[in-house]
Amino acid sequence: MSLNRDQINSIAHLARLSLTEAEIPVYQDSLSKIVDLVGELDAAQTAGIEPMAHPLPGLAQRMRPDVVTETDQHENYQRNAPQVEAALYLVPKVIE
Amino acid sequence: MHTLTLSELAKKLRAKEFSVTELTKSLLARIEESQPTLNAFVTVTAESALAQAKVAEASLASGNAGPLTGLPLAHKDIFCTKGIKTSCGSKMLDNFVSPYDATVVEKLNAAGMVTLGKTNMDEFAMGSSNETSYYGPVKNPWDVKLVPGGSSGGSAAAVAARIAPVATATDTGGSIRQPASLCGVTGIKPTYGRVSRYGMIAFASSLDQGGVIAQSAEDAAMVLGAMSGFDTRDSTSVDTPVPNYVESLDAPLTGLRIGLIKEFFDKGLDASVEKLIREALKVYEKLGAKLVEVKLPALPLSVPTYYVVAPAECSSNLARFDGVRYGYRAKDPRDLMDLYKRSRGEGFGAEVKRRIMTGTYVLSAGYYDAYYLKAQRVRQLINQDFKRAFGEVDVLMGPTAPDVAFGIGAKASDPIQMYLNDIYTIGANLAGVPAMSIPCGFSRELPVGLQIAGPHFAEAKLLNVAHAYQKETDWHRQIPAAFKREKLS
C-alpha cells in the first residue's frame, strides 16, 4: 500500500510534527514499506483470540493509601523548562 | 585491571592490590582515550565518580562493604541520573539535567557502585545500530568500521572494549541482546516487571525492560540481583522476591531440556552463525542437556507485530515532549501549534519521527482495529507459542542475530532491513519472557551470540545455563586487539 503526500501531512499534523519539504517523500516511501510489512499480519488466523495488551495478564493495578507522598519541587523541576515566569510555564499567546 | 571481571575486581579491592580510586581513574582514562574512536559515552562523570570512589573506599575500610561496593559501571543514557545530563541520545533532551534518579540508578548507587558516565545509544532506544543517536554512531570495538548494534550500543561497546567492567542497558525489542551479540559480551533482558521502569525514559511501555550488559553471566548475576525488585513507583513492577542469582550459578545442567526454535533455523540465518550455534549446543549436550526441536509457528510474525505495538506505544509516550516543560524548544514560535510542531520536528531525529508517525497512523480512526487490535491478537498467539514451548522444555536456544556486525551506513537508508535485525529477539519482549545473549565464537573475526530464553521469572536458570557454558569456553574472555593494553594511547 502506498501512502500519498496528503496522508503523510495529515499523520504529521496529528503527531504534532513539522516536516520539511525534503522529509515528506522520504516518509511517504518508508511508511508505505512499513504498512506493507505490518500487512503480513492479515494472514494470521486470530478469530476468537483475546488481544494482549500486557505481558503479565492478571496483574491488577495497585492502589496505595491516599496520603501525600510528593513534596513541592516546582523550582527543581522548572530548572529544565525553556521559559518560566512566576513559577508558570510560558508559551506563545493563545487568546488574542 | 581493565581485563578483570566484577568478582575478580571485588577480590582484588579487598586484598588491597589497588584502591577504588586507582581503579576508577584507570577506567576514566580508558574512556577518555577511547572516546575519539568508539564514541561510547555521551557524558563522563569523572568528578562524581571519584567522590563515589572515596565513599566506597571508606565502606571497604570499615567492613561495611557489600559485594558491589567500589565496582565501577556505566549507565545507559536512558536512565535518569540526578544532577547529571540524561539525553536518551536525543537533541530533544540535550539540555535535560534530570531532577531525580531512576530506581535502577538509586539501587546501584546504594549498593556502592561507582558511576563512570552515561553511555551513547540510539535516540530514545529506537534503532539496532546506534546510528540514530544525536551524538553520532558508536563504533564496534572489534572493527570500528562496523556498528556495535543497538540500541544499547554504547553499553555493549564499553564492556567489550573493557572501558567499563559492566553497564546497565534496556531492551524493548532486542536492545540488550543484539548489541551484546555484535560486540561479544553477555547481556540479559529480565522478565517484564522484574526491574523497575521508574526513571527509565519510556519508549514502548508494555515491552521496555531494564537489564545488564556484562563480561560474564556471573557478573550479570551480581548486578541484576542488585537492580531488580518491586517498586511502588512503577505500576507494572512485580511484587515477587528476587532470588540470589549468584548462588544458583553452579547448579548442574543434567537433564536440562533445551528447545531449539525451528523457525529460527529455517531461513535468513547466516550459515557460519548457524554452525557456531550448533557447536555451542554440542557443549550443552556434553554437559548433560537434551536437545528438542520446538515449533513456535506465530513467531515469524513478531517483526510486523512489533512494528505496530511499539510505534503505537511510542507515539503516546513521546507526546510528552511538547517544548513547554522541559527539553528542546524551537526558536520564535508563531503560536502554540507552531511551538509544538517545530519543537518536535526539530528536536526528534528521523527514526523517532518515523516511529511516532507509524504509531499515529496505526492508532488513527478507521485503522485501530485493522492494525492495533490485530497486532495485539497476534501478540497473544506468539505468547501462547512461548507458553506451549515452556511446557515441553526448560529453556529455548537459538541465534541472537541473523549475522555478525554490519558496516556503519550499510542499512541506515532502509528501515525494513534494519528492523529485520531484531527478528530473533522481539518475540521475548512481546511475551515478556527473560532472554539473554552470550558469546559463542567468531565468524570472520567478529563475535556471534547464542540466545537463551526462559519462562517468566526464570532469570536464575538462564544465568545458571549461561555460566555453565562460560566455564567450558573462553569466548566471553576475548578482548578486541586494539583494547587489550591497559594504556590505549
Side-chain angles (χ1 to χ4, degrees):
Chain A
M1 190 178 132
S2 178
L3 295 173
N4 64 37
R5 216 187 142 77
D6 288 347
Q7 283 172 300
I8 295 297
N9 279 325
S10 142
I11 296 166
H13 171 69
L14 287 172
R16 301 295 185 261
L17 287 169
S18 65
L19 296 183
T20 62
E21 269 305 306
E23 282 177 309
I24 295 170
V26 174
Y27 286 121
Q28 234 181 300
D29 178 59
S30 60
L31 259 67
S32 299
K33 283 182 181 155
I34 294 168
V35 170
D36 284 343
L37 171 78
V38 304
E40 289 174 24
L41 296 175
D42 291 344
Q45 295 298 319
T46 54
I49 303 293
E50 184 74 16
M52 177 177 165
H54 189 279
L56 301 170
L59 187 77
Q61 289 290 301
R62 290 185 305 272
M63 304 290 271
R64 63 166 176 82
D66 187 16
V67 291
V68 177
T69 55
E70 293 287 327
T71 51
D72 178 9
Q73 295 194 56
H74 75 268
E75 275 180 35
N76 188 17
Y77 297 151
Q78 287 186 331
R79 241 171 256 150
N80 276 299
Q83 236 185 323
V84 174
E85 206 178 285
L88 301 169
Y89 294 98
L90 292 195
V91 293
K93 203 169 177 182
V94 178
I95 301 162
E96 292 300 328
Chain B
M1 46 190 122
H2 64 287
T3 61
L4 302 170
T5 64
L6 292 183
S7 50
E8 290 163 349
L9 286 170
K11 279 191 199 104
K12 289 183 187 286
L13 286 175
R14 279 166 179 75
K16 299 198 171 68
E17 287 188 37
F18 44 78
S19 68
V20 182
T21 300
E22 285 167 330
L23 173 63
T24 304
K25 279 187 175 163
S26 143
L27 288 163
L28 288 170
R30 284 179 73 78
I31 292 170
E32 195 182 323
E33 286 159 0
S34 67
Q35 193 58 13
T37 31
L38 291 182
N39 195 29
F41 280 76
V42 172
T43 303
V44 181
T45 52
E47 206 176 305
S48 57
L50 292 168
Q52 284 182 313
K54 285 279 171 237
V55 174
E57 277 169 7
S59 316
L60 281 161
S62 65
N64 294 330
L68 293 173
T69 301
L71 299 177
L73 96 161
H75 284 297
K76 183 177 182 178
D77 207 16
I78 198 167
F79 288 102
C80 285
T81 40
K82 190 174 181 174
I84 297 167
K85 169 170 153 175
T86 300
S87 76
C88 218
S90 182
K91 178 182 179 183
M92 183 59 86
L93 290 176
D94 183 48
N95 59 5
F96 181 71
V97 176
S98 176
Y100 67 100
D101 276 329
T103 297
V104 162
V105 172
E106 204 175 83
K107 278 174 172 277
L108 296 177
N109 280 344
M113 295 193 85
V114 172
T115 302
L116 298 167
K118 309 288 298 284
T119 59
N120 200 347
M121 55 181 284
D122 277 300
E123 185 180 5
F124 285 103
M126 297 174 200
S128 309
S129 67
N130 229 288
E131 292 166 290
T132 73
S133 170
Y134 175 60
Y135 303 95
V138 175
K139 318 288 171 57
N140 191 314
W142 292 94
D143 180 345
V144 294
K145 294 190 295 300
L146 307 181
V147 303
S151 67
S152 312
S155 290
V159 176
R162 306 298 194 260
I163 59 175
V166 68
T168 56
T170 59
D171 192 313
T172 303
S175 283
I176 289 176
R177 292 159 287 155
Q178 185 257 13
S181 176
L182 270 46
C183 288
V185 289
T186 299
I188 181 163
K189 176 203 93 75
T191 309
Y192 180 80
R194 178 76 293 182
V195 168
S196 170
R197 292 185 294 111
Y198 179 77
M200 191 178 109
I201 297 171
F203 159 16
S205 302
S206 80
L207 304 162
D208 295 343
Q209 184 56 207
V212 191
I213 291 182
Q215 296 170 53
S216 67
E218 186 186 12
D219 282 6
M222 290 169 72
V223 177
L224 184 63
M227 68 195 267
S228 297
F230 178 60
D231 183 9
T232 52
R233 297 176 295 185
D234 170 0
S235 66
T236 61
S237 170
V238 176
D239 196 358
T240 305
V242 181
N244 185 325
Y245 297 127
V246 178
E247 266 173 14
S248 50
L249 283 173
D250 288 306
L253 300 192
T254 324
L256 180 82
R257 294 166 302 166
I258 299 174
L260 308 186
I261 303 175
K262 183 182 177 293
E263 288 76 12
F264 282 5
F265 294 93
D266 274 354
K267 57 173 185 194
L269 176 61
D270 175 78
S272 68
V273 171
E274 176 169 356
K275 189 167 164 277
L276 292 170
I277 300 296
R278 302 248 181 231
E279 281 168 18
L281 295 169
K282 283 196 190 112
V283 174
Y284 279 108
E285 279 188 300
K286 214 180 72 192
L287 290 169
K290 284 187 181 59
L291 306 183
V292 191
E293 190 184 82
V294 292
K295 288 183 185 158
L296 285 80
L299 200 53
L301 288 172
S302 59
V303 173
T305 304
Y306 180 86
Y307 279 96
V308 173
V309 173
E313 294 184 16
C314 128
S315 71
S316 315
N317 269 325
L318 273 64
R320 74 190 67 184
F321 299 101
D322 55 7
V324 175
R325 293 156 304 148
Y326 50 82
Y328 177 81
R329 174 183 280 202
K331 289 226 160 31
D332 306 322
R334 286 191 312 275
D335 50 32
L336 193 58
M337 183 60 91
D338 185 50
L339 168 72
Y340 291 149
K341 284 189 172 181
R342 279 201 298 119
S343 297
R344 292 165 59 80
E346 295 164 15
F348 291 133
E351 182 59 27
V352 172
K353 285 191 270 190
R354 181 163 16 252
R355 299 213 193 176
I356 291 174
M357 287 197 284
T358 304
T360 304
Y361 178 70
V362 299
L363 290 176
S364 59
Y367 295 103
Y368 181 89
D369 286 6
Y371 291 114
Y372 189 61
L373 220 50
K374 179 78 182 181
Q376 286 194 317
R377 290 185 207 277
V378 180
R379 182 177 187 181
Q380 184 70 269
L381 292 176
I382 293 167
N383 182 46
Q384 289 171 356
D385 277 0
F386 274 99
K387 272 212 176 111
R388 207 179 306 116
F390 289 127
E392 298 167 28
V393 298
D394 302 305
V395 294
L396 290 168
M397 286 195 192
T400 305
D403 206 344
V404 294
F406 49 91
I408 291 170
K411 298 183 182 182
S413 61
D414 186 349
I416 305 292
Q417 279 309 306
M418 191 65 89
Y419 297 171
L420 290 172
N421 269 295
D422 297 331
I423 190 160
Y424 303 137
T425 49
I426 282 173
N429 300 83
L430 292 170
V433 300
M436 61 188 299
S437 180
I438 57 170
C440 69
F442 289 80
S443 166
R444 289 148 283 168
E445 297 179 4
L446 295 169
V448 168
L450 170 74
Q451 188 174 203
I452 313 168
H456 286 155
F457 300 103
E459 288 81 7
K461 175 57 76 183
L462 295 191
L463 291 160
N464 163 222
V465 167
H467 183 64
Y469 179 80
Q470 293 184 335
K471 284 197 288 188
E472 297 294 315
T473 59
D474 66 353
W475 302 119
H476 64 294
R477 301 303 306 242
Q478 305 304 312
I479 301 172
F483 298 91
K484 279 184 181 158
R485 283 175 296 116
E486 177 107 37
K487 284 217 47 85
L488 294 175
S489 55

